[in-house]
Amino acid sequence: MVKVLDKKVLRELLAWKSQAITITLVIASGIAVYLTSLSAYDSLLVSRNNFYAEYSLSQGFVSLHKAPESVILDISKIPGVSYAEGRIIKDIVLDFESESIPSGGRIVTLTEGLNRLALLQGRLPREKDETVISEAFSLANRLEPGAKLTAVLEGKKKVLTISGIALSPEYVYVFRPGGFLPDDKHYGILWMKKESVEEIFDMSGAVNDIIFDFAPAAEKNSVLKEVDLKLATFGGLGSYDRDKLPSHSFLRDEFKQLRTTAFSIPMVFLGVAAFLLHIVSSRMIAKQREQIATLKALGYGDRSIALHYLKIILFVCLIGSFLGIIFGYYLGTQMVDLYGDYYKFPNLKFLFDPVLAIQGVLIGIVSGMAGSLLSIRKATSLQPAQAMRPPSPENFSTSFLEEYWKDLPVIYRIAIRNLVRRPGRTLLFVLGVSSSVMIMILGLFSRDTMTSILKIQFEDLQRDTVTLNFQNSISSDSILELTKKEGILLAEGYRAVPIRIRYGNSSKEIVLTGMPVNSYLRRLIDERGQNVPVPEDGILLNSGLAQKFGIHKGDKIQLEVLEGQRIKTEVEVTGVINEILGQGAYKEIQSLNRLLREGDQVNIAALWTDSSKEESLLNELKSYPKISGVSTRARTLKIFYELMSRSVLTTSLIIMIFACIISVGVIYNTALISLSERAFELGSLRILGFTKTEVFIILSGELTIVILASLPLGCLLGYFSGYGILSTVETEGFKIPLFISPKTYIISIFTVIITSVFSFWILYIKIRSLDLISVLKVRE
């Protein structure tokens, strides 16, 4: 049998249905974001850990110039190393007849113990010209086992047969060295038998890369130093642990961002929901003073009355929580599918922990309780005799601020006075609306930031349209030969060498790049965006690296070249420069070549090409014998916009929907509560001769002031929240500058205005249908 108060719960919900629906949607949005982010995080984390464990991803890595295989045994005997394997890694050019842009690839010899392959199709290579290719590369180029692949190896074309398609725990996120976006169409990983690669690259009985595992309880830094010491005579380029593996590093940053999103964004939604529930329940209880008094007079205790209002709040919270779980589950599956396009796991499945659903329900209930407990406590503390009387009139004393708007028309003064009379609640309304602007900006700013990165990288720092990487350093005369080719308008040569810098007790392996004094195609800039000339004496250092090590302009650091004669010297840091990608050092190229004692050499060519002749030029460069990689600005930009259309736009649309829910939830509820609270006052104004339009202007004027105050505050909150999010994903090798375009601010503001117009329209309809007789007799 349904109790009397339970029937009243249903009546109250029906009476407040429109406000209950908007609050329910706000709660559902917060819980959906929470569940989506954490379930995607769990799915990726479990898939990654399983992949690493099942296929034995090594814990340590080191590349070197060339060493006999016997060095592997030396490494494995180092205390703290449990197991080591050697392999050969070479970057190559791949030639597809249908493609004008040369593709790149990395040949990796197969290992047996560490970094094993997850074979998806076909089999491992048996013959010397067979290869297994990475899955993303095979899908992008529609390559199946049995297909032929033309590779340029040591300047000679060789046809390889694809024997299988596989994934590797070492290359979960595949991108070209020096890049930051995956280009599955033009870059892939090829695994071959070691004997085959030895023959092609004249590496018989030698290795140029060693992978190893640490022994339990090993002190990693000591082990890595010992490894570097052992390999110093073989051109060791500096060992590192798994944390610095590019693929693992990208995954780790993505996980960090997912966890940040899972806890920060829902806090905003649930905070807004708690505020709305507080306002709605306060108004409900204030309006029902007499009903509460009657119930108490009839014998209902404080507990029964508190439980009655709790049931109303709980109903809204529970429905919101369950909707959030459903939305979160669906969006989680979509997000994991989206991540599957970038991160390659053999068994990436959406995992949904029921504990998350329970947490979602509890969070929804807690937010509801936090918002309504004060109101319910107020209801239980009412004395029947006191509650039978209307509430005491509010203080209508003149505010000192009214002196500033005393010349305004009456309807505007009424609107402003109501806001000033309750500054705390006005501030909460402003925060509520501004949070929707903030969330909208957070949903859109990633596109602005990425566009800004491309602008800085390809317009300010790197102006060349084509970049050539050579397998080994070549004479700078080759650059002059390149400029004679049709289609090349300008060519500049650079020399990049791996170095280790030491300052105090800190050391770091980075790349030192030699640049021409008046380089046009590559520029260096400082914090103010001003061009910084490369020094002939001393070096320029990445600002992030300098800050981390505490290096300042004028300090002297130890520099060790990690190739050739492995020269060690002391150099002065003549300044710091800002970089987006990588952490490098820079020096004038002739000065660098003198330091290396190897003559006038280059190993990178930057080209500025005639776009109408670029395709034929690239076709010619594919067969250039010493080139190990070719990249074009046009292709990089195309990849970027393809990725943006697939991921960022989808995410932005979802965030925009959530932001609209908050905006409607706050503005619509604010409008209806104001109408409910001031029905008697507005009815009186109507009786005194105010028109319906004037009454609407009073209410909408209050809301307009709140909205106008919220817009700049929301923009500020969006900017600082974006800065906070980017700070969490900033890594040593990837610094993302915050940039939010005017377009993003305009879209965010415009969306709030649109939802405001929708709320105003409903408000106007309700004012038009206001029953003056019933409103005015309420008090009596």
Side-chain angles (χ1 to χ4, degrees):
M1 183 177 178
V2 181
K3 295 179 180 178
V4 174
L5 287 183
D6 291 338
K7 290 180 182 177
K8 187 171 180 295
V9 168
L10 294 176
R11 283 199 298 271
E12 299 295 347
L13 286 170
L14 288 174
W16 295 79
K17 59 181 180 297
S18 56
Q19 289 162 274
I21 288 172
T22 53
I23 297 172
T24 299
L25 289 176
V26 173
I27 294 174
S29 301
I31 293 173
V33 174
Y34 177 77
L35 294 181
T36 301
S37 302
L38 280 187
S39 57
Y41 172 83
D42 289 343
S43 302
L44 287 174
L45 187 66
V46 170
S47 298
R48 187 199 69 174
N49 292 344
N50 288 343
F51 193 22
Y52 283 6
E54 190 171 351
Y55 295 92
S56 304
L57 176 64
S58 56
Q59 297 170 337
F61 303 81
V62 59
S63 295
L64 53 143
H65 177 63
K66 188 176 182 181
E69 288 182 321
S70 58
V71 79
I72 301 168
L73 184 61
D74 296 337
I75 297 297
S76 62
K77 288 180 178 176
I78 293 174
V81 173
S82 63
Y83 181 73
E85 280 190 279
R87 56 186 184 173
I88 300 170
I89 294 180
K90 290 285 185 181
D91 289 324
I92 60 168
V93 173
L94 298 169
D95 182 12
F96 290 92
E97 289 185 4
S98 58
E99 288 284 332
S100 60
I101 301 174
S103 296
R106 168 164 287 189
I107 286 184
V108 182
T109 57
L110 292 167
T111 46
E112 296 179 354
L114 300 174
N115 298 3
R116 297 194 305 273
L117 298 183
L119 202 59
L120 304 178
Q121 291 183 53
R123 56 172 173 75
L124 293 175
R126 293 174 187 159
E127 307 297 330
K128 63 179 182 181
D129 292 338
E130 289 185 336
T131 181
V132 170
I133 63 173
S134 50
E135 186 201 25
F137 185 63
S138 75
L139 291 174
N141 292 286
R142 298 180 181 177
L143 297 171
E144 299 285 339
K148 304 293 183 184
L149 195 61
T150 303
V152 182
L153 307 171
E154 292 289 300
K156 297 178 183 176
K157 287 190 176 181
K158 192 175 187 66
V159 177
L160 303 175
T161 303
I162 298 170
S163 67
I165 295 166
L167 293 173
S168 166
E170 187 179 357
Y171 297 100
V172 173
Y173 184 78
V174 181
F175 57 96
R176 193 189 294 266
F180 63 102
L181 295 172
D183 182 5
D184 298 331
K185 179 76 174 173
H186 295 97
Y187 187 79
I189 310 297
L190 290 77
W191 291 275
M192 296 181 69
K193 292 175 65 176
K194 187 167 183 293
E195 297 77 14
S196 307
V197 180
E198 283 179 342
E199 182 181 333
I200 295 169
F201 293 99
D202 191 23
M203 294 278 290
S204 182
V207 295
N208 68 355
D209 194 87
I210 296 174
I211 49 181
F212 53 92
D213 270 351
F214 295 104
E219 209 288 307
K220 290 184 181 179
N221 289 333
S222 301
V223 174
L224 294 176
K225 284 180 182 177
E226 190 66 23
V227 170
D228 290 342
L229 196 62
K230 290 278 185 188
L231 297 178
T233 54
F234 302 107
L237 298 179
S239 56
Y240 56 93
D241 64 15
R242 188 186 291 174
D243 277 347
K244 293 182 181 176
L245 182 70
S247 170
H248 178 80
S249 176
F250 267 80
L251 271 175
R252 184 191 57 214
D253 295 338
E254 189 65 49
F255 290 162
K256 192 190 297 182
Q257 189 173 3
L258 275 175
R259 283 194 69 84
T260 303
T261 304
F263 291 103
S264 59
I265 301 295
M267 288 292 288
V268 176
F269 281 93
L270 297 175
V272 171
F275 160 66
L276 291 177
L277 283 170
H278 171 71
I279 298 295
V280 169
S281 59
S282 297
R283 179 58 198 153
M284 185 189 302
I285 288 168
K287 197 174 180 181
Q288 296 180 359
R289 287 169 57 92
E290 293 178 6
Q291 293 181 30
I292 294 170
T294 305
L295 289 171
K296 287 193 172 185
L298 291 173
Y300 286 92
D302 290 344
R303 183 178 298 177
S304 300
I305 292 172
L307 191 60
H308 165 68
Y309 287 105
L310 276 176
K311 284 179 182 176
I312 297 172
I313 302 300
L314 278 176
F315 185 84
V316 172
C317 295
L318 287 175
I319 295 296
S321 302
F322 287 125
L323 282 177
I325 292 170
I326 294 169
F327 292 152
Y329 186 92
Y330 173 74
L331 293 175
T333 58
Q334 299 302 306
M335 182 172 277
V336 169
D337 286 345
L338 193 62
Y339 277 121
D341 292 341
Y342 305 101
Y343 303 117
K344 302 302 178 185
F345 297 105
N347 291 303
L348 178 58
K349 294 178 182 175
F350 174 68
L351 300 177
F352 188 79
D353 188 349
V355 173
L356 285 181
I358 296 171
Q359 289 176 353
V361 173
L362 291 176
I363 290 171
I365 291 173
V366 168
S367 68
M369 293 299 102
S372 57
L373 276 180
L374 281 178
S375 309
I376 293 173
R377 187 172 180 276
K378 192 174 179 182
T380 56
S381 63
L382 278 175
Q383 296 300 320
Q386 178 192 358
M388 286 291 183
R389 295 195 300 271
S392 303
E394 295 186 45
N395 179 13
F396 287 96
S397 60
T398 304
S399 166
F400 73 96
L401 293 172
E402 291 196 31
E403 290 296 320
Y404 298 98
W405 64 71
K406 60 183 179 183
D407 295 331
L408 288 174
V410 173
I411 54 174
Y412 297 116
R413 277 188 282 162
I414 294 173
I416 297 173
R417 185 182 297 146
N418 193 53
L419 293 174
V420 175
R421 192 182 300 155
R422 296 172 176 171
R425 201 164 85 169
T426 302
L427 179 63
L428 288 176
F429 279 137
V430 170
L431 286 175
V433 179
S434 61
S435 63
S436 65
V437 180
M438 178 190 74
I439 288 178
M440 188 74 68
I441 290 172
L442 291 182
L444 298 175
F445 90 104
S446 53
R447 183 187 177 88
D448 296 335
T449 299
M450 294 302 288
T451 304
S452 170
I453 288 175
L454 291 186
K455 179 181 178 300
I456 296 172
Q457 186 66 30
F458 291 109
E459 292 183 18
D460 298 338
L461 302 179
Q462 185 178 342
R463 300 173 176 176
D464 51 295
T465 52
V466 176
T467 304
L468 307 179
N469 292 90
F470 299 96
Q471 293 175 1
N472 300 298
S473 60
I474 59 174
S475 169
S476 61
D477 293 340
S478 301
I479 301 300
L480 294 175
E481 293 177 15
L482 280 173
T483 57
K484 295 175 184 175
K485 289 186 179 295
E486 189 175 5
I488 296 180
L489 304 176
L490 179 63
E492 290 179 351
Y494 304 88
R495 180 78 188 273
V497 292
I499 62 169
R500 179 181 292 126
I501 59 169
R502 286 193 176 86
Y503 184 74
N505 295 323
S506 304
S507 66
K508 175 79 176 174
E509 291 78 29
I510 58 175
V511 173
L512 173 61
T513 303
M515 299 174 60
V517 173
N518 297 313
S519 173
Y520 177 80
L521 298 179
R522 299 283 175 93
R523 294 174 65 233
L524 302 173
I525 58 172
D526 59 18
E527 292 179 348
R528 296 171 296 172
Q530 300 298 313
N531 191 29
V532 180
V534 286
E536 292 188 17
D537 297 320
I539 62 170
L540 294 170
L541 201 59
N542 175 282
S543 59
L545 185 62
Q547 185 178 6
K548 181 180 176 183
F549 280 18
I551 300 173
H552 301 93
K553 180 180 178 181
D555 289 344
K556 292 193 174 180
I557 61 174
Q558 299 295 320
L559 185 152
E560 178 187 2
V561 179
L562 298 177
E563 69 172 33
Q565 301 179 43
R566 299 186 75 90
I567 295 162
K568 296 180 181 179
T569 185
E570 185 178 75
V571 295
E572 178 183 343
V573 176
T574 59
V576 295
I577 49 103
N578 272 357
E579 287 183 295
I580 294 177
L581 305 175
Q583 286 187 322
Y586 298 87
K587 187 177 180 63
E588 196 275 325
I589 188 167
Q590 291 183 357
S591 172
L592 173 59
N593 279 323
R594 283 196 297 274
L595 173 69
L596 298 175
R597 301 167 195 165
E598 293 178 356
D600 199 5
Q601 301 280 299
V602 298
N603 56 8
I604 297 173
L607 310 179
W608 187 19
T609 58
D610 181 345
S611 57
S612 63
K613 298 172 182 173
E614 190 172 291
E615 187 169 338
S616 59
L617 175 68
L618 291 172
N619 270 318
E620 183 183 350
L621 291 174
K622 282 196 291 188
S623 57
Y624 206 80
K626 295 184 180 299
I627 291 176
S628 62
V630 181
S631 59
T632 69
R633 177 166 64 177
R635 178 62 193 166
T636 303
L637 293 176
K638 185 180 178 184
I639 294 169
F640 167 73
Y641 289 113
E642 286 176 355
L643 290 174
M644 291 293 291
S645 63
R646 285 157 56 196
S647 60
V648 176
L649 293 183
T650 305
T651 308
S652 298
L653 179 63
I654 295 170
I655 293 289
M656 189 177 289
I657 293 171
F658 286 167
C660 287
I661 289 173
I662 279 196
S663 181
V664 170
V666 175
I667 297 172
Y668 178 71
N669 276 284
T670 305
L672 291 192
I673 288 168
S674 294
L675 180 62
S676 172
E677 286 178 339
R678 303 173 61 196
F680 183 83
E681 176 188 341
L682 297 174
S684 302
L685 291 175
R686 289 277 292 113
I687 297 297
L688 290 173
F690 282 74
T691 64
K692 292 176 182 176
T693 304
E694 287 172 329
V695 170
F696 170 72
I697 290 174
I698 292 172
L699 273 185
S700 60
E702 290 179 21
L703 292 172
T704 302
I705 293 170
V706 168
I707 293 165
L708 290 178
S710 305
L711 297 179
L713 180 62
C715 292
L716 274 177
L717 291 174
Y719 181 87
F720 287 111
S721 299
Y723 182 82
I725 288 175
L726 289 185
S727 299
T728 63
V729 299
E730 187 172 313
T731 65
E732 286 188 3
F734 196 75
K735 184 178 181 181
I736 305 176
L738 174 64
F739 175 74
I740 301 176
S741 70
K743 182 181 174 183
T744 293
Y745 288 119
I746 291 171
I747 291 175
S748 305
I749 291 171
F750 188 70
T751 305
V752 171
I753 292 174
I754 291 292
T755 55
S756 304
V757 170
F758 170 73
S759 301
F760 285 178
W761 175 65
I762 295 176
L763 182 65
Y764 184 68
I765 291 174
K766 287 188 174 292
I767 289 176
R768 280 180 63 86
S769 59
L770 200 65
D771 184 351
L772 296 180
I773 296 175
S774 63
V775 165
L776 292 175
K777 74 180 181 182
V778 167
R779 290 293 182 94
E780 303 302 330

